[in-house]
Amino acid sequence: MAQLNDALRATPIVALDVPDAAAARAMVARLGAHCDFYKVGLELFTAEGPSIVAWLRGEGKRVFVDLKLHDIPNTVRAAARAVARHGATLLTIHASGGAEMIAAAVDGAVSGASAGGEACSILGVTILTSLDGAGVGEAWGRSAVDVEAEVLRLAGLVRAGGAAGIVCSGHEAAAVRATHGEQLGLLIPGIRLPGGDLHDQRRVMTPEAAADAGARWLILGRAVTGAADPAVAMQLVRASLQRVV
Ligand code: C5P
């Protein structure tokens, strides 16, 4: 499949945050050739199962399966294998599942690809952006933690486990880059076009700023799917990510 993104500084992925396959198909039809990479998250995957991944693959699209797995290593290995066999390109796990679980996810993804899927990279979720230092401390039975320090520590665990990268906010990207350089690919959500509606996100970045911060992948949600014309919004995203030659 010819990749749309070859000339872009970062790869845009549109989040199909919709309840069912009909809504997903409608959005994919509206975006047409302007988008070749979609995120299927917990809502859509739980509603439709792997058939939605198969359908997207059949349409020639790449798929990021955002399930944020967190379980014992054996279970995560098996789930990652299954996701890779369905043809996903990216899969998320929680870094706090530990180094052995991360390595098991990588191992499962590799074996799923060799069993008929395609190369599937594992990305670690460090600290959910819905949690602050006090919330993490409460969940982990500690006093309030320094979120950036925890993100960097967990990013190290992801790297040690052999995963391809992490999910992080654009505002954490510089610190992660300073510590881990090119060793971890960064997937950055919370992207907005210049002057666009923030919705419920507080800390957003433009596609260009996220690419400057070192993003390899960008998650586009409502900035594209909530636009009056999603295809036009996606064209603006792509234009802002063109490499200057
Ligand atoms: O751009 P918008 O706010 O609509 O994007 C929301 C998408 O980004 C959702 O799919 C959500 O799961 C994802 N996301 C996020 N913040 C994070 C991680 C993922 O908004 N920290």
Side-chain angles (χ1 to χ4, degrees), residues 15 17 39 66 129 167 189 191-192 201 219-223:
D17 291 325
K39 180 181 103 141
D66 186 17
T129 48
V167 179
I191 305 295
R192 292 293 179 275
Q201 299 275 26
I219 297 298
L220 277 305
R222 288 162 290 180

Side-chain angles (χ1 to χ4, degrees), residues 8-11 170-171 173-175 177-178 182 186 188 191 205-218 240-244:
L8 302 187
R9 298 166 64 214
T11 300
H171 299 270
R177 293 288 289 212
E182 301 281 333
L186 307 183
I188 299 186
I191 305 295
M205 268 195 177
T206 63
E208 212 170 356
D212 287 345
R216 188 174 302 168
W217 304 277
L218 306 179
S240 71
L241 291 171
Q242 290 293 334
R243 283 187 195 284
V244 180

Side-chain angles (χ1 to χ4, degrees), residues 69-71 73 93-105 154 157-158 161:
L69 301 177
H70 190 164
D71 209 315
I93 49 120
H94 272 286
S96 54
E100 198 188 330
M101 189 206 81
I102 296 165
L154 288 164
L157 213 55
V158 171

